[in-house]
């Protein structure tokens, strides 16, 4: 079976949903952010600060390449779609679910979170800007869009399972 990829904006619930989905389907799961933090032995803020965004993006690509031929679930950082080669790989190698949430909903969910280096400053404005840039990229990469608005975890997981047939 092809890998299942979960993509979407920061705060969309990719990591949480991916872990529960994996246990429902009895599959392995990896999270690209968690892999990077484990390998670098640093948190994401520190990686961005010390090495910059490009270094982080290259690590994301490296991890995608390592896992593209294994069955299982891969949950991704919100910026994985920024690099064209990642979009191509995700779309060609796996089944890609885009977990959609509106920018207002995203803001509510991550208003008090300080772990995301790209949202330092005026969070509302930064979310809106990134959201507009990335929305077409998520849509271009995904095979299935799952609207997470007003749905609990169980409903979202069931929708994904139904799509997998
Ligand atoms: C990022 C999203 C984060 C993390 C990093 C960059 C982004 O992951 O990879 O802070 O560019 O959208 P989450 O989507 O899990 O928050």
């Amino acid at each position: 079976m092809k890998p299942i990829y979960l993509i979407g904006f920061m705060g969309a619930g990719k990591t949480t949903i991916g872990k529960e989905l994996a246990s429902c389907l009895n599959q392995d799961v990896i999270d690209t952010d968690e892999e990077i933090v484990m390998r670098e032995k640093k948190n994401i803020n520190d990686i961005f600060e010390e090495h910059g965004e490009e270094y982080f993006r290259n690590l994301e690509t490296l991890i995608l390449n390592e896992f593209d031929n294994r069955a299982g679930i891969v949950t991704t950082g919100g910026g994985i779609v920024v690099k064209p080669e990642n979009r191509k790989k995700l779309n060609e190698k796996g089944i890609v679910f885009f977990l959609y949430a509106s920018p207002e909903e995203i803001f509510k969910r991550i208003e008090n979170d300080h772990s995301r280096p790209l949202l330092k400053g005026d969070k509302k404005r930064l979310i809106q800007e990134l959201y507009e840039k990335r929305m077409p990229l998520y849509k271009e990469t995904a095979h299935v869009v799952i609207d997470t608005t007003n749905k609990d975890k169980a409903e979202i997981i069931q929708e994904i399972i139904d799509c997998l047939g």
Side-chain angles (χ1 to χ4, degrees), residues 10 14 33 44 48 56-57 60 77-79 116-118 134:
M10 294 172 256
K14 299 163 298 227
D33 284 345
I44 293 181
F48 268 67
F56 179 83
R57 298 287 168 224
E60 284 184 317
R116 276 121 170 155
L118 296 181
R134 289 183 180 172

Side-chain angles (χ1 to χ4, degrees), residues 107 111 114 116-126:
F107 179 70
E111 193 177 356
H114 302 289
R116 276 121 170 155
L118 296 181
L119 299 182
K120 288 202 189 310
D122 182 346
K123 217 175 239 169
K124 211 173 225 167
R125 182 180 58 80
L126 291 167

Side-chain angles (χ1 to χ4, degrees), residues 11-12 35 43 47 64 67 86 96 118 123 133 137 152:
E35 281 290 317
N43 68 38
I47 299 171
L64 271 194
F67 285 90
N86 291 352
V96 186
L118 296 181
K123 217 175 239 169
K133 273 196 220 145
L137 306 181
D152 62 24

